[in-house]
């Protein structure tokens, strides 16, 4: 296969246009920055993001490369099918629940990141521990997106995946570095429009290809493979529900989500953006579902791809670019590639901004250098962007393991961060002792459940744990079970700790986290300088 020069030129034009939009948005943010906090402008757009722009950027954040590629793949897989496509409904419900329950307490207190209420409730030490799972999640997400884009360009353009990864990462880092949330939000508008138009243009050509059977017939009848509508067998119902709750609830405690709703001018606008972007996420899955159905209805032997099929070759993850490349005219497949590139960049910039925002605001400003100026915080954010971006681009070259690490880190966010956020916002009686205990319990339970993709065998065999082809599979909804136990641990240990100190069952001087909120009396401390003989006096807390 020869280098696809028209496709390469078209993609270069798209990258240049996206970069130009990001630079223009950066200039606009600096123009609007007068009399505004520069850090707040970079992190949450000065809390003045237009509702329409907010809606586009919130939708584009979730409709990324993994979303459109993964949806098509699940529909295509003979063992899965449409009934296993949970992300569209899961993300939509997540955004609705987030808008209904979480937006008001977060926006009304003018928080900047998702870590703010955790640090406020449990302190900086616990905050720094809780920062690790989302940081890893954002970095692995960025890396997985770049890896997916590189693989797609290798299929359609016949260029090295490494070149695609480097170009994409450089473009995203540059415009995010210059304009912060403003650049990300305005480029998201361009990218979402491009995704929508490009995919819908490709679908008629793919469906009318002579190698493709009617998707209406193959939805319920076995033709080239099992019906693409799919089925949920009884023994897999627990796993299906576990994955669904993970998508619905585990998608809430991410900075990428809260960065959008916290940038709105009011809590009402933030809720509106959250609700409507949920609907947008659901609708944006339709093209991918249709492409997956087309792939399941195609006789690949009639295409230049040939046999065996993508599923038999273990290339199901690439089924969307395969449909665009082998079932559509060349000029149409180029448009589809643009959609994939746009989807990848719309999520990649969000992940990069999210990780650097949390580091600059919650780690650098609140822990490492509490007296930092606004300029210092901005530079800390920019430097961390370069470090995180370069690190994620490096990880993208190890695509197979990156996806698995992203899934595991996402599950750790669900198991650890979601219960902590719920308690910090809605159970004010919880304290640092409960938070630490919950973190330990959640981490151990999740890791001891094993991870087949990373070849980590389970230590805890939950009910219905089965051995399939030498690999243990947990069919019990252990992820949600872990979340519930973590939540219960935080509440219970917090209560017990307060009781123990209040009733003097433990000496109050052991209350290193000061959960009772007592202000200890100050006593004079006297000392004499051994060199000058000068006597000095200072006040310290009475620890007795």
């Amino acid at each position: 296969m020869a280098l696809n020069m028209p496709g390469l030129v078209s993609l270069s034009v798209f990258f240049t246009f996206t970069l130009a939009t990001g630079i223009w948005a950066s200039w606009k943010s600096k123009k609007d920055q007068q009399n505004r906090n520069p850090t707040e402008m970079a992190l949450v757009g000065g809390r003045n993001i237009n509702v329409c722009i907010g809606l586009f950027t919130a939708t584009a954040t979730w409709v990324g490369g993994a979303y459109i590629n993964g949806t098509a793949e699940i529909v295509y897989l003979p063992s899965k099918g449409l009934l296993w496509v949970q992300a569209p409904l899961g993300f939509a419900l997540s955004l609705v629940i987030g808008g209904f329950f979480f937006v008001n307490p977060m926006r009304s207190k003018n928080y900047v990141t998702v870590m703010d209420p955790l640090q406020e409730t449990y302190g900086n030490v616990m905050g720094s521990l809780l920062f690790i799972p989302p940081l890893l999640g954002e970095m692995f997400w960025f890396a997985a997106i770049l890896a997916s884009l590189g693989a797609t360009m290798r299929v359609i353009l016949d260029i090295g995946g490494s070149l695609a990864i480097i170009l994409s990462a450089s473009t995203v880092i540059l415009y995010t570095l210059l304009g912060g949330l403003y650049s990300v939000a305005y480029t998201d508008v361009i990218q979402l429009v491009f995704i929508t138009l490009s995919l819908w243009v490709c679908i008629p050509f793919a469906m009318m290809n002579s190698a493709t059977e009617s998707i209406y017939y193959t939805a319920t009848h076995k033709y080239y493979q099992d019906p693409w509508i799919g089925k949920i067998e009884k023994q897999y119902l627990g796993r299906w529900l576990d994955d669904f709750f993970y998508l619905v609830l585990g998608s809430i405690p991410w900075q990428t989500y809260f960065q959008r709703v916290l940038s709105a001018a009011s809590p009402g606008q933030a809720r509106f953006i959250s609700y409507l972007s949920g609907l947008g996420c659901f609708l944006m899955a339709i093209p991918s579902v249709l492409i997956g159905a087309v792939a399941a209805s195609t006789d690949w032997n009639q295409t230049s791809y040939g046999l065996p099929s993508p599923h038999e070759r273990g290339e199901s993850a690439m089924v969307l670019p395969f449909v665009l490349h082998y079932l559509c005219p060349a000029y149409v497949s180029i448009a589809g590639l643009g959609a994939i590139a746009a989807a990848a960049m719309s999520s990649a910039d969000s992940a990069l901004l999210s990780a650097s925002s949390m580091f600059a605001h919650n780690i650098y400003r609140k822990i490492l250098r509490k007296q930092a100026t606004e300029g210092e915080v901005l530079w800390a954010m920019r430097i961390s962007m370069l470090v995180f971006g370069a690190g994620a681009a490096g990880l993208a070259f190890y695509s197979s393991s990156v996806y698995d690490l992203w899934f595991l880190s996402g599950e750790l966010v669900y198991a650890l961060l979601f219960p902590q956020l719920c308690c910090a916002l809605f159970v004010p009686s919880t304290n640092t002792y409960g938070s630490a205990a919950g973190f330990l319990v959640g981490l151990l339970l999740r890791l001891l459940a094993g991870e087949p993709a990373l070849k980590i065998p389970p230590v805890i065999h939950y009910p219905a744990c089965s051995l399939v082809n030498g690999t243990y599979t947990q069919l019990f909804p252990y992820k949600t079970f872990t979340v519930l136990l973590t939540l219960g641990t935080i509440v219970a240990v917090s209560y017990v700790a307060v009781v123990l100190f209040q009733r003097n069952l433990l000496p109050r001087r052991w209350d290193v986290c000061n959960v009772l909120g007592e202000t200890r009396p100050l006593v004079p401390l006297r000392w004499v300088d051994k060199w000058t003989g000068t006597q000095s006096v200072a006040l310290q807390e009475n620890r007795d």
Side-chain angles (χ1 to χ4, degrees), residues 408 411-412 415 442-451 478 482:
L408 180 60
E411 290 179 9
L412 287 177
L443 181 64
L444 287 176
L445 286 177
R446 177 58 195 91
L447 294 180
L448 293 178
E451 180 53 55
Y478 68 95
T482 300

Side-chain angles (χ1 to χ4, degrees), residues 295-358:
S297 310
T298 296
D299 179 7
W300 291 96
N301 195 36
Q302 295 185 41
T303 70
S304 56
Y305 182 85
L307 292 178
S309 67
H311 172 63
E312 293 167 326
R313 296 189 196 185
E315 296 179 339
S316 300
M318 296 297 297
V319 74
L320 189 143
F322 285 160
V323 167
L324 300 179
H325 183 62
Y326 294 104
L327 300 180
C328 298
Y331 63 91
V332 175
S333 68
I334 291 170
L337 174 63
I340 297 173
M345 294 174 72
S346 69
S347 293
D349 55 15
S350 301
L352 182 63
L353 180 63
S354 170
S356 59
S357 298
M358 288 189 292

Side-chain angles (χ1 to χ4, degrees), residues 125-150:
V125 175
M126 272 310 302
S128 61
L129 279 177
L130 294 171
F131 167 71
I132 296 173
L135 171 65
L136 293 176
E138 301 288 8
M139 283 195 64
F140 290 137
W141 185 20
F142 190 12
I145 291 166
L146 293 175
S148 173
L149 184 59

Side-chain angles (χ1 to χ4, degrees), residues 474-495:
Q474 303 275 18
L475 300 181
F476 181 78
Y478 68 95
K479 292 192 283 282
T480 304
F481 178 71
T482 300
V483 168
L484 294 175
L485 277 184
T486 303
L487 189 64
T489 300
I490 296 171
V491 175
V493 172
S494 296
Y495 174 77

Side-chain angles (χ1 to χ4, degrees), residues 121-187:
T121 306
Y122 305 128
N124 286 335
V125 175
M126 272 310 302
S128 61
L129 279 177
L130 294 171
F131 167 71
I132 296 173
L135 171 65
L136 293 176
E138 301 288 8
M139 283 195 64
F140 290 137
W141 185 20
F142 190 12
I145 291 166
L146 293 175
S148 173
L149 184 59
T152 301
M153 290 187 181
R154 190 165 57 247
V155 169
I156 297 182
L157 297 183
D158 194 31
I159 65 172
S162 56
L163 177 61
I165 289 170
I166 293 170
L167 287 176
S168 305
S170 301
T171 304
V172 169
I173 291 171
L174 182 56
Y175 72 69
T176 308
L177 194 71
L178 291 174
L181 183 62
Y182 258 79
S183 290
V184 171
Y186 278 91
T187 53

